[in-house]
Amino acid sequence: DLSALNLSGNHLRAVEAGALAALPALRQLDLSGNPLLSLSPQAFGEGGSPLEELALRGALRDHGVLLSLAAMLQSGALRNLSRLELADNGLLLLPAGMFTALPALRQLDLSNNSLVGLRNVSFQGLGQLQSLNLSDNSLGVLRNGTLAQLRGLPALRRIGLGRNAWVCDCAIEDLVAWLKETDQVEGKEALTCAYPDKMLGKALLKINGSDLNCSVPVDLPSQLQTSYVFLGIVLALIGAIFLLVLYLNRKGIKKWMHNIRDACRDHMEGYHYRYEINADPRLTNLSSNSDV
């Protein structure tokens, strides 16, 4: 009948397969502060668990343990999970699709890590998510894809984005526009730029187009595509002009070709004459004894 188990702040190194399988009523598990080196995706057995709250604050310093946790979550073993705490783990990036099999998740804490981006992270399917804490990370920008996912979460009411290293260049325009229209972000007035130096400390909500100087497109792939098209047009034009010049000067070119042919023929006849002289000893002696 055990429903809550707190093992935080110990020296646990491994959670083996089946270690928690004999706890059918377990709802809350706290493994925070343990230097885990191994976490079996089958720790709750083959049938899954009714677990609702899982705390792993400071327990995922080893990258292999993070991958094992992702495998456990993706397997559907914790489909009833409503609260997941992954703070204080120094995470840089999250495994792709890590949260896709958590339909009951309501609170997700990713604060105080070193996350530099969320491109691999999918929040789709988290229809019950109410709170998302991304504060105290190294996020420089949130891309359009991530913003679209956040807009599509109907229950999401609280998003923490404080104390991140926001890069205030042209790429941040979409984030600024979203911040101005949403009421999901807590303390959004306090969000400020960290880079570049000229924007340091400026509030994101007070940024406008003139601050970012985005008149020049920053979409490099489209610029390259345009350049290639322009180069193709120029080369085609040069080729057409070259063919036109050849056509207009066809008589002169034909005469020039005839002259070259005659010159080559005279040259070859000279070689042929010299060959005949060298091949006949009598002609050789004659040419050597005469002044002709």
Side-chain angles (χ1 to χ4, degrees), residues 37-48:
L37 296 176
S38 174
L39 175 63
S40 173
Q42 290 80 37
F44 293 95
E46 299 295 335

Side-chain angles (χ1 to χ4, degrees), residues 171-187:
I172 207 169
E173 278 190 311
D174 295 325
L175 174 60
V176 171
W178 175 71
L179 287 174
K180 291 179 179 180
E181 71 180 27
T182 185
D183 57 357
Q184 297 171 305
V185 180
E186 295 181 326

Side-chain angles (χ1 to χ4, degrees), residues 255-265:
K255 183 178 179 180
W256 178 70
M257 293 295 293
H258 283 303
N259 292 337
I260 292 179
R261 184 186 65 183
D262 294 340
C264 291
R265 182 184 298 166

